[in-house]
Each structure stands twice: as structure tokens, then as C-alpha cells.
Amino acid sequence: MTASYRFTHAITRKPSISITGGLRAVDIGTPDLAKMLAHHADYIAALRSTGAEVVELEALEAFPDSVFVEDTALCLPEGAIVMRPGAPSRLGEAAAMAPHLRALYADVRKISGAESFIEGGDILTTETEVLVGRSARTNASGIVELTALITDWGHRVREVFTPPGVLHFKTDCSLLDGETILATQRLAASGCFDGYRVIQTAEGEEACANTIRFNDLVIMPAGFPKTRDVLGKAGFNVREVGNTECAKLDGGMSCLSVRFTPRG
Ligand code: GLY
């Protein structure tokens, strides 16, 4: 398998003016679009600095949360799966992503069951398995359908559980390398990462668990110095990117891109 953190491509989408109406668990303030655009540009620059090709899609005003492209697709080396977001206001985002996946992949499949819901934020792909967290956005039927769609590509799906009250599985964890996961204490305690090496976010810094390993960089939200230093001491090349505005909508580093290496 291609290393689970080596990518030739990423797709991002510009934040829309309608982002101020994006979904959020708790209202902690209106996102500042200008600041979000500046952070978004820094994020794309970090991805590009690793040598990857980054596709920047235009904003979709009809979909306030569409900057969070990760939820619309799962990309594997063999092909891509168009997701079926569990948030009704986000369902149409997946269809808008499909043509961009078809431009890069010969094999694009989709979650289509009327009762199936699954969002990319609930999926963590490691070197050996695809972990999918059941959540308020991802249900058992969505996981069963995903399993059927990727088994012939040689991928093994393991159902896990997103902690109650947490938006997505990856809100609380990230892949750091082939065998290492960054996770909050509450998720690590569930035992779902047994067999992996786990680095826990520092106390009070749980909000930085949504970080990404992208080629040689670990791209993490700025403002979490204790965890940053732990990762640095562990030998990771950390790049901090501002995330204050996306955080108001429960978004983090993984949410802002779909990352992949199409085979062939
Ligand atoms: N605001 C991101 C989401 O709720 O999907």
C-alpha cells in the first residue's frame, strides 16, 4: 500500500460568504471571512510546500459548510468514494465534488442508500485499515455500504465510535505516521487504537487533535504549544496554521482538504 501519509494531490474549496451560516455545535462567535481566507491561503501554501498539486475549487455559496471538503469524499489509491453527508444541509456538497474526483480517478463509486449516511471526517485511513467512527453524521448503514464498496480494492474497514457530543471521529485524532496516532485522552481511552503508538494531546489542548500528516509535514492548528512541542520532540516537522475561524464551526486541519495519490 502507498504510505498512508504520502500524497501527490489535495483538493480544497474556497470559503463562501455564506460561511457565517455554517453549522456549529455551540455558537462561540461569527467567523470572520477575511481572516478565514488568510488562514486558508496559509493552509494551501503549507500543502504545496511539500510538492503536492493542490486543486482549489471555487466557493459554493449555496453550501455554507462547503469549505470542509473532506466530508464529501474518501480517496484511496485505487479510486474514490463520494460520501453521503449526514447533515441535510450538506448533502448536495458531495454531488458537487464528484466531477472533480472523476477528473483524477478512473474509478469513482458512491454511497447511495437512502438510509446510508457517512462523512469523511469520520474516516481515518491508516497503513493497514480504514477506521470509521459512527457519529451523529455517520451511521451503521453508511459504514456497511462503504465496506462493500472498498473491499475489492483490498481495504479492511473497522467500525469504531466517535465520542458522544464530538462532531467527527477525526475531531479527536489524526494519523502521524504509519504506526502513530495523535488522539485526545477520551478517544485513546476507548481502546480503539490498541496496537498503534498513541501520542495524546496535552491537557486543555484537545482541540488540536485534528491535525494532518501531509508528506513531510504535520500541519496543526496554531495555539497549542504544549502538544506542538511534544510532536517536535518526537521528531515530527510541525507547521502551524491559524484555525480560529474554522474552529467556530467545529472545523480543523483535516476538514479543509481531500488528500490522495491516485494510482496509475
Ligand atoms: N461546520 C461543520 C459541520 O458541522 O459539518
Side-chain angles (χ1 to χ4, degrees), residues 30-252:
T30 303
D32 176 327
L33 179 60
K35 206 167 171 188
M36 189 185 285
L37 284 167
H39 290 162
H40 201 249
D42 291 345
Y43 179 80
I44 290 170
L47 297 177
R48 283 211 173 108
S49 74
T50 71
E53 183 179 324
V54 181
V55 177
E56 294 181 69
L57 303 178
E58 285 305 316
L60 282 180
E61 289 302 336
F63 297 103
D65 287 289
S66 55
V67 66
F68 302 123
V69 279
E70 173 176 70
D71 294 316
T72 65
L74 171 66
C75 290
L76 295 166
E78 301 80 6
I81 308 291
V82 180
M83 298 283 108
R84 199 158 187 284
S89 67
R90 302 198 60 191
L91 256 179
E93 291 176 34
M97 176 57 75
H100 304 291
L101 300 172
R102 288 198 197 97
L104 291 156
Y105 277 107
D107 196 350
V108 177
R109 305 174 179 186
K110 74 176 203 182
I111 305 288
S112 54
E115 299 305 319
S116 299
F117 296 103
I118 183 162
E119 297 192 355
D122 279 315
I123 306 177
L124 182 75
T125 304
T126 77
E127 211 65 35
T128 54
E129 59 182 348
V130 177
L131 287 88
V132 190
R134 261 210 242 181
S135 72
R137 302 283 183 87
T138 292
N139 64 11
S141 172
I143 299 174
V144 167
E145 212 179 311
L146 178 72
T147 305
L149 288 173
I150 67 173
T151 298
D152 70 306
W153 288 340
H155 294 279
R156 188 170 72 88
V157 171
R158 177 158 62 98
E159 182 181 272
V160 287
F161 292 88
T162 301
V166 172
L167 176 58
H168 286 132
F169 186 65
K170 279 190 296 193
T171 302
D172 267 30
C173 66
S174 318
L175 187 79
L176 291 173
D177 64 27
E179 61 201 21
T180 313
I181 307 273
L182 174 68
T184 59
Q185 197 276 334
R186 68 185 162 198
L187 184 56
S190 75
C192 67
F193 298 126
D194 286 355
Y196 291 90
R197 172 182 171 231
V198 177
I199 297 179
Q200 288 188 14
T201 51
E203 205 178 330
E205 294 192 348
E206 291 75 13
C208 73
N210 185 273
T211 281
I212 54 170
R213 175 71 189 268
F214 191 80
N215 297 323
D216 291 336
L217 290 181
V218 168
I219 305 176
M220 70 178 292
F224 301 92
K226 289 184 273 185
T227 308
R228 177 198 64 203
D229 291 351
V230 168
L231 295 179
K233 283 194 185 105
F236 294 104
N237 184 9
V238 176
R239 177 81 58 90
E240 295 176 285
V241 172
N243 191 54
T244 51
E245 306 317 295
C246 286
K248 291 173 184 167
L249 302 175
D250 310 312

